[in-house]
Amino acid sequence: QVQLVESGGGLVQGGGSLRLSCAASGRTFSGYTMRWFRQAPGKEREFVAAISWIGGITYYSDSVKGRFAISRLNAKNTVYLQMNSLKPEDTAVYYCNADPRLWNIATIHLMAGNDYWGQGTQVTVSS
């Protein structure tokens, strides 16, 4: 079975930093795009960042560009999201996503029908 397990969430003051981890297992992820999404209460799930498993190509939403950084260690099957300069509006449940689709900037922000999801980790940013 494929498992994506997020960790590293918590409560942090505005302006602070957190690093989220996503431990992936159950299959090889070559050719996959690994992504982070987030969802605040009452709002739609939104794309945050993406990285290709092979090559490490990255892409960010405008709302986090310059503040967040996605990375991965293939040998550990782990994807990270370094979150800096956090704002209260970053408060959400953050989800790890494994997308088998070919890298495509036009669709990288969209959820796919055959991708895998973690259970999510809560990030709360206080004022």
Side-chain angles (χ1 to χ4, degrees):
Q1 60 178 8
V2 173
Q3 283 191 312
L4 304 175
V5 181
E6 302 97 332
S7 62
L11 175 64
V12 66
Q13 190 175 12
S17 298
L18 285 173
R19 189 180 75 160
L20 307 183
S21 297
C22 173
S25 62
R27 66 161 298 141
T28 59
F29 292 92
S30 297
Y32 274 67
T33 298
M34 307 301 293
R35 305 187 291 179
W36 289 94
F37 287 77
R38 66 187 182 186
Q39 187 167 25
K43 301 186 69 175
E44 293 185 352
R45 192 168 298 188
E46 67 170 338
F47 169 79
V48 176
I51 187 168
S52 61
W53 192 265
I54 301 299
I57 306 167
T58 60
Y59 185 80
Y60 300 92
S61 69
D62 289 340
S63 62
V64 307
K65 192 177 301 180
R67 299 189 298 121
F68 292 7
I70 188 171
S71 61
R72 86 272 188 265
L73 289 176
N74 290 7
K76 296 180 65 175
N77 269 17
T78 302
V79 181
Y80 305 95
L81 185 68
Q82 179 66 46
M83 310 165 66
N84 300 322
S85 301
L86 284 163
K87 307 173 182 179
E89 50 262 45
D90 294 318
T91 295
V93 177
Y94 283 71
Y95 296 92
C96 184
N97 170 272
D99 180 5
R101 294 178 298 178
L102 191 68
W103 183 272
N104 187 343
I105 296 298
T107 60
I108 202 166
H109 64 291
L110 301 175
M111 292 180 286
N114 61 340
D115 50 1
Y116 299 96
W117 293 92
Q119 82 290 343
T121 185
Q122 176 72 48
V123 172
T124 303
V125 185
S126 63
S127 301

